[in-house]
Structures are given as C-alpha cells and as structure tokens.
Amino acid sequence: MNDMELVSLWSALEPSARRRARIETRVFDWIEAGETSIAGEWLALLKVEPLTALACVSFGAVSFVLLTPVGWLTSLAIGVTRFGG
Amino acid sequence: MIAIAVLPAAVVFPRASLVASCFKALSALFGDDAELLDEAAVLQLVERARAGDRAARQRLYRQHVGRVFRTVRGMLRSNAEAEDVTQDAMLAALTSLDRYSPRSGTRFAAWLTAIAINTTRRRFRRWRPELTATGELPEVPAADGDPGDDVDRARQRSALLRALAELEPREREIVSLRYGAELNAAEIAAQLELEPANVRKILERVRARLGERIVALMQPGVSA
C-alpha cells in the first residue's frame, strides 16, 4: 500500500456530517460567547424575547431593592443573636 | 494467507477513490470546505480572521477541522473522544491565532496539528490508568461507527482502526501525522523532537506492516 492509498484510506476517519455540525456549533458558540459583552447579551435577548427580557430586568431590579435590606436585617439579627446577647 | 498478503490494494479497495470523492461532495454540502486552499490563501485567511473577519475564521475552521479529526481519531479510542479533542484544539487555535507566526517556517496546518497533538496527550495523561500495559488502545473500533456510513467505508474505518490499535503509541502518532494530517517527515520530526531520517525510517517500516494488516483485515470473512 503506497502513501496515496493510505492518505485516501485515512479519509474514512473523517467525522460524519452530523458530528462535524455539532463540533462547529460548539466551537463557534464558545467563541461568540467569549466575544459578546454582557450588555450585548442583554440587547440580543431584548431583540429576540422583549417580554422575557423586561421580566428578567424587572425581577432583578425588584430583587435587588428588596433582598438587599432583607439581607442586612437578617445578618444583623444573626449577629445580635450570636454575639449581642 | 500468502495469497491474501500479496493481493494488490486496488483489489481490496476498488471503490476507495470513488467513495472519497462522494464523501467530499457530501461534506461540502454539510459544512466542509472541499476546495483545499494553498498555504498563501490560508495565511490570508489567518490575517483576516485575526482582524475580526468572522467569515474568514469560519472558512479557516472548515478547511482544517476534518484534518484535525482524522489525525486524532487514529490515536484515540472513540469518535466521541476525537470529537472532544477536535473541539478543544480548534477552539484553542482559533482563539490564539495571534500566536501563530508563519515567519518561523511552520505551515498553519502543522501549527494546528501540534495543538491537536498536545490536546490528545493531555487526554492520554488523564486516562493513563485505563490504558493497557502495552499501550494498546483497549477499544473495539467498530463499536462506534456512524450509522450513516456505507458498508465499504465502515469496513475501511474498522480495518484501519484495528490495525492502528496494534501499533506502538509512538508509531501510531507518526502515521497519524503523516496520513491523517498529511505532514512531511521534517514537520513530524519537529513536532515529536526526532530526527527526520528517523521518522522516515519508522514510516517506511510501519507503512509496510500497516498495509499488510489492513489488506488482511479487509478480506471477506474477516470479522471487522
């Protein structure tokens, strides 16, 4: 068997079309994710799913406003219980 | 047995080139870049990809992904492992194109293959306890064939993988780099830190052994 025949035979190891597509999707998804800023991600989400994006933003804002004082109060209560008594 | 050994490869693989042509045409349909570019065109793609041209990066990827996969497939135990290594290697290469310097005299394909080989070695190190004492791959190659394959191609793949599994790891690396990545002896020698003359000698010896073994495994009646 000569060099050319072996090179031709090695082509039998090529990935199937489905496998090739899967690799390509993963590689380029990773690259895109690495290159896209968080603001860009939000803008993209706003374009594709405006209602979901607005719901997420609202939920995040409300959580931030409400949960931060709740956290302070909880930690204060824990501190008082443990060390203040 | 002697008659089997002296059968010309053309008799055993009468449709190998036809199958390869069909495969290339199908691959082009499913995202492969069938038209192979010369080194100057590849370097232009590298420059454009570095400058942020996404189309150039994708073309560069499609030009080389098949080569990387078939190179590492011969060294790993399954298609799934080869898929993971190919993915990691392509990702590493495409995100570090700035590190590639054609001035060093290294072809892009050789640089990319070096990344793939390093990724494969890292994987081998991780799995060392599972390897047999002789360093042979404990896989039955036919087990993970793709269902879409035609029978000839599946037999060829199975025979090749079985023959490769019987080689020493270093021999397997050398033939995979030669016939999978299509590197020349000097490029292989540079990657494996060997003398080119030594690589040529090993290739000559292994090619004969591999050829005989594949021909024998391809005979009707031999279970693939």
Side-chain angles (χ1 to χ4, degrees), chain B residues 18-173:
Chain B
L18 182 65
V19 170
S21 313
C22 290
F23 185 77
K24 276 191 176 173
L26 280 172
S27 296
L29 279 176
F30 288 102
D32 187 17
D33 204 340
E35 184 204 345
L36 280 178
L37 299 176
D38 61 20
E39 193 60 15
V42 169
L43 288 181
Q44 276 184 355
L45 282 181
V46 171
E47 283 307 315
R48 282 169 47 201
R50 277 175 178 162
D53 183 337
R54 290 180 180 201
R57 186 165 59 196
Q58 192 163 39
R59 184 124 200 247
L60 198 59
Y61 167 88
R62 288 183 172 177
Q63 274 283 309
H64 293 92
V65 66
R67 180 197 299 257
V68 169
F69 187 92
R70 63 178 184 256
T71 305
V72 300
R73 180 61 189 91
M75 301 181 208
L76 292 165
R77 298 179 304 177
S78 67
N79 281 335
E81 289 171 7
E83 183 177 327
D84 285 350
V85 168
T86 303
Q87 179 189 308
D88 291 353
M90 292 305 298
L91 188 59
L94 292 178
T95 52
S96 56
L97 285 175
D98 287 336
R99 290 190 206 156
Y100 170 62
S101 167
R103 279 190 222 109
S104 64
T106 311
R107 281 194 302 149
F108 181 76
W111 178 75
L112 180 57
T113 308
I115 293 175
I117 294 292
N118 287 335
T119 311
T120 307
R121 283 182 182 155
R122 274 201 297 277
R123 193 155 276 249
F124 263 118
R125 273 201 291 275
R126 212 181 303 157
W127 287 334
R128 190 167 288 280
E130 295 175 31
L131 295 174
T132 61
T134 57
E136 285 181 6
L137 300 175
E139 178 205 21
V140 179
D144 66 348
D146 287 303
D149 280 354
D150 68 40
V151 177
D152 276 355
R153 199 165 180 80
R155 276 179 69 83
Q156 284 176 15
R157 177 194 285 130
S158 179
L160 175 58
L161 289 172
R162 274 178 180 265
L164 280 170
E166 293 168 10
L167 298 178
E168 292 294 319
R170 176 47 64 97
E171 292 173 337
R172 203 157 45 223
E173 263 186 351

Side-chain angles (χ1 to χ4, degrees), chain A residues 27-51:
Chain A
V27 168
F28 285 97
D29 279 357
W30 268 98
I31 292 174
E32 295 259 327
E35 288 176 348
T36 311
S37 65
I38 292 176
E41 296 266 5
W42 276 105
L43 279 175
L45 183 62
L46 201 60
K47 274 185 197 162
V48 180
E49 292 273 355
L51 286 177

